Amino acid sequence: MSASTAVEEEKRRGAFSSRRVFILAAIGSAVGLGNIWRFPYVAYENGGGAFVIPYLVALLTAGVPFLLLDYGIGHKFRGSPPLSFARMRRGAEGLGWWQVGICAVIAIYYAAVLAWAVRYAFFSFTKAWGADPETFFLVDFLQVSDPGVTADPVAGVLVPLVVMWALVIGLLALGVQKGVGATAMVFIPVLVLSFGALVVASLFLPGAGSGLDALFTPSWSALAEPTVWAAAFGQIFFSLSIGFGIMITYASYVHRHTDMPGSGLVVGFSNSGFELLAGIGVFAALGFMAQDSGQAVGEVAGDGGVGLAFIAFPAIINEAPAGALIGVLFFVSLVLAGITSLISITEVVISAVRDKFELGRVAATLLVALPMAIVSVLFLGTTSGLYVLDIVDHFVNQFGILLVAVVSMVVVVWGLRALPQLAAHLNDHSSVRIGLWWRALVGVVTPLALAYVLVDAFVTDVQTPYEGYPTWMLAVFGWGSAAAVVVIGFVLARLRWRSATALDGATYDTDASEEVQR
């Protein structure tokens, strides 16, 4: 790729202004709702303090290596997932669109959870959920119907959902640096401060110590259980936002002479550090609730996830000293973490559409985000929204993200034999040498570990219908949504690229890179 072409393409696509902005944006994508409500429960259920061992092993042998794979692909081939895969090998483009489809589906329901969090941040001031947070959440707030699909709108969800989409669309329309980068620069420091304040407040609650004991007391026998190791690999994989296009897209916006492996270590350990912080804050609060109610910590925690955030935490806020403050900090943290993640997920779709169809930033943002917002409102802003969200989230995570990650790794490593050139690219201007250890982990260890998690999840869902939902709902919103993104992805890959797009796999040469940065 010539110097002039490189300059023109970077101006067209946009770029982060510095490595610091990229790192904050990547952390903003990785740190999301799952860090706050998923990690503490997964750790508690899988050995407590002993879970830290398989968790760190998974981080070092799968999380960071796969993160570097995504960085290498996006940074070397300078494109969204479809463009990057097409530049590796024309026939591999469908993998990129598969990842784009997954991001589109996730964004549609992710926005709804943010809308809930926005409302609950305001509810926290007056503890509007009353003495029975579960009934308030399911009956009064979401107005949950019987399992099925309804067209009955829920105004309390629709309004913040529309506001949330308007905010995200506006930020994304501003571009890579002024929108994505600037949001991360503001929101991530504020998130750290607000969640740090929440942790401090939780640690001073009566009974906080018993909650921390429940979380960190090690059950060493758990280390002999394959399911515990599978849980660790699954948690690392989901929490780092790897395998479904986000980090490929973000890496394509980074200047050529950037230390990508060093950046990957910063992002990986920052994400894990925030998860551990979340575990401390959440379980300190659960310890207080357990002492106050006379129950065990595990009974108070429930099943984690949505129930922990919107049922268990409001119950804690009701009884805790300075409960309103804790509530505001908790739900504001959810909103901040969620917005940066939603922006990153939607940016993958926008970037792919821009690359493929040569659209401007505003036009592509509206073309992508408006239809997603409409689908989000129609399906998640109704009395059946919780069911749709739960089913789609489960199946797209298990049989979308995990499956495309395993397939893409196998294709890149064993089909395209691309690891040597990616390693060479990552080693250019790197503070951490990428050698045979990385190729062994990405080529063997990580795909085998994720394949085990995937097969285990598949067997479980085949044997026991998820949450007892009607078969037709699981077929349409579960298996159907996971399959649809594959089919649509490979159909989109058949469309022709604009004539100006170079698909020969060439990347910026040294002169071009230096010209771009000047």
Side-chain angles (χ1 to χ4, degrees):
M1 188 181 293
S2 66
S4 60
T5 302
V7 172
E8 181 181 346
E9 180 158 310
E10 183 160 311
K11 286 181 178 178
R12 180 186 66 81
R13 298 188 75 248
F16 292 121
S17 61
S18 67
R19 181 184 180 220
R20 180 181 63 174
V21 176
F22 161 65
I23 288 175
L24 284 175
I27 292 173
S29 174
V31 174
L33 303 178
N35 297 70
I36 296 174
W37 72 37
R38 189 175 191 271
F39 171 77
Y41 181 78
V42 170
Y44 174 73
E45 285 289 291
N46 291 277
F51 183 74
V52 173
I53 295 176
Y55 177 83
L56 291 177
V57 170
L59 173 66
L60 296 175
T61 62
V64 171
F66 198 109
L67 183 63
L68 296 183
L69 176 66
D70 274 355
Y71 282 1
I73 293 172
H75 195 242
K76 177 175 175 61
F77 295 106
R78 315 302 295 177
S80 59
L83 180 55
S84 293
F85 277 105
R87 282 175 169 168
M88 268 196 289
R89 186 74 57 83
R90 184 66 180 84
E93 181 187 337
L95 291 174
W97 284 110
W98 185 359
Q99 295 181 348
V100 170
I102 290 170
C103 285
V105 173
I106 292 175
I108 286 170
Y109 70 78
Y110 203 91
V113 184
L114 290 185
W116 301 349
V118 169
R119 287 298 306 281
Y120 266 68
F122 287 101
F123 290 159
S124 296
F125 286 103
T126 60
K127 303 177 184 177
W129 46 74
D132 189 354
E134 182 173 4
T135 299
F136 177 85
F137 178 64
L138 297 175
V139 179
D140 300 329
F141 179 55
L142 295 183
Q143 301 173 28
V144 175
S145 62
D146 293 330
V149 176
T150 73
D152 300 328
V154 180
V157 176
L158 276 176
V159 173
L161 185 54
V162 171
V163 171
M164 185 57 60
W165 273 111
L167 173 64
V168 169
I169 290 172
L171 291 173
L172 286 167
L174 293 175
V176 175
Q177 175 57 32
K178 293 182 179 179
V180 179
T183 301
M185 289 286 288
V186 174
F187 280 22
I188 295 305
V190 175
L191 169 62
V192 172
L193 290 175
S194 62
F195 201 78
L198 170 66
V199 172
V200 171
S202 298
L203 288 174
F204 282 97
L205 292 173
S210 62
L212 297 181
D213 286 341
L215 175 61
F216 290 113
T217 297
S219 174
W220 299 114
S221 61
L223 297 181
E225 298 292 332
T227 54
V228 171
W229 291 85
F233 277 86
Q235 175 62 29
I236 282 291
F237 185 79
F238 290 129
S239 70
L240 273 177
S241 296
I242 51 180
F244 57 110
I246 295 175
M247 294 307 176
I248 291 177
T249 303
Y250 275 13
S252 73
Y253 296 144
V254 181
H255 291 312
R256 174 67 175 79
H257 295 307
T258 298
D259 178 5
M260 298 305 289
S263 301
L265 290 175
V266 173
V267 172
F269 283 103
S270 296
N271 174 74
S272 294
F274 189 89
E275 285 197 318
L276 291 173
L277 186 67
I280 293 170
V282 169
F283 266 81
L286 291 175
F288 161 77
M289 189 60 190
Q291 176 176 292
D292 187 73
S293 63
Q295 296 176 289
V297 174
E299 294 175 357
V300 175
D303 294 327
V306 171
L308 174 64
F310 296 100
I311 297 174
F313 244 86
I316 293 169
I317 294 164
N318 278 347
E319 305 299 330
L325 174 62
I326 291 176
V328 171
L329 290 172
F330 179 75
F331 288 109
V332 166
S333 295
L334 284 185
V335 172
L336 293 173
I339 286 178
T340 53
S341 294
L342 179 59
I343 285 175
S344 70
I345 295 167
T346 311
E347 175 63 22
V348 175
V349 190
I350 293 172
S351 179
V353 169
R354 292 195 68 206
D355 283 346
K356 186 81 174 186
F357 303 108
E358 198 173 5
L359 295 175
R361 162 60 65 167
V362 175
T365 300
L366 295 176
L367 180 65
V368 165
L370 283 180
M372 289 166 58
I374 291 172
V375 173
S376 180
V377 168
L378 289 177
F379 282 97
L380 283 308
T382 67
T383 56
S384 58
L386 179 62
Y387 299 129
V388 174
L389 185 151
D390 189 29
I391 294 172
V392 175
D393 174 61
H394 176 77
F395 280 85
V396 169
N397 272 281
Q398 299 287 359
F399 309 113
I401 296 176
L402 277 181
L403 184 58
V404 75
V406 173
V407 172
S408 62
M409 268 189 294
V410 171
V411 169
V412 170
V413 175
W414 301 107
L416 306 182
R417 304 281 181 175
L419 281 194
Q421 61 172 318
L422 291 175
H425 178 83
L426 289 170
N427 281 327
D428 189 20
H429 306 286
S430 173
S431 60
V432 180
R433 183 73 182 174
I434 302 300
L436 289 176
W437 62 269
W438 178 69
R439 292 161 64 177
L441 291 174
V442 173
V444 180
V445 175
T446 306
L448 286 177
L450 295 182
Y452 177 88
V453 176
L454 181 63
V455 170
D456 181 67
F458 178 77
V459 171
T460 299
D461 280 321
V462 169
Q463 291 178 343
T464 307
Y466 178 64
E467 294 293 337
Y469 287 120
T471 302
W472 73 267
M473 287 192 73
L474 296 177
V476 173
F477 296 105
W479 301 108
S481 61
V485 293
V486 182
V487 175
I488 295 173
F490 282 91
V491 169
L492 289 173
R494 303 295 298 172
L495 301 178
R496 299 187 62 175
W497 287 89
R498 57 193 178 87
S499 58
T501 302
L503 296 177
D504 56 3
T507 55
Y508 294 164
D509 54 38
T510 302
D511 293 338
S513 303
E514 292 173 351
E515 179 67 25
V516 169
Q517 293 194 63
R518 285 198 293 270

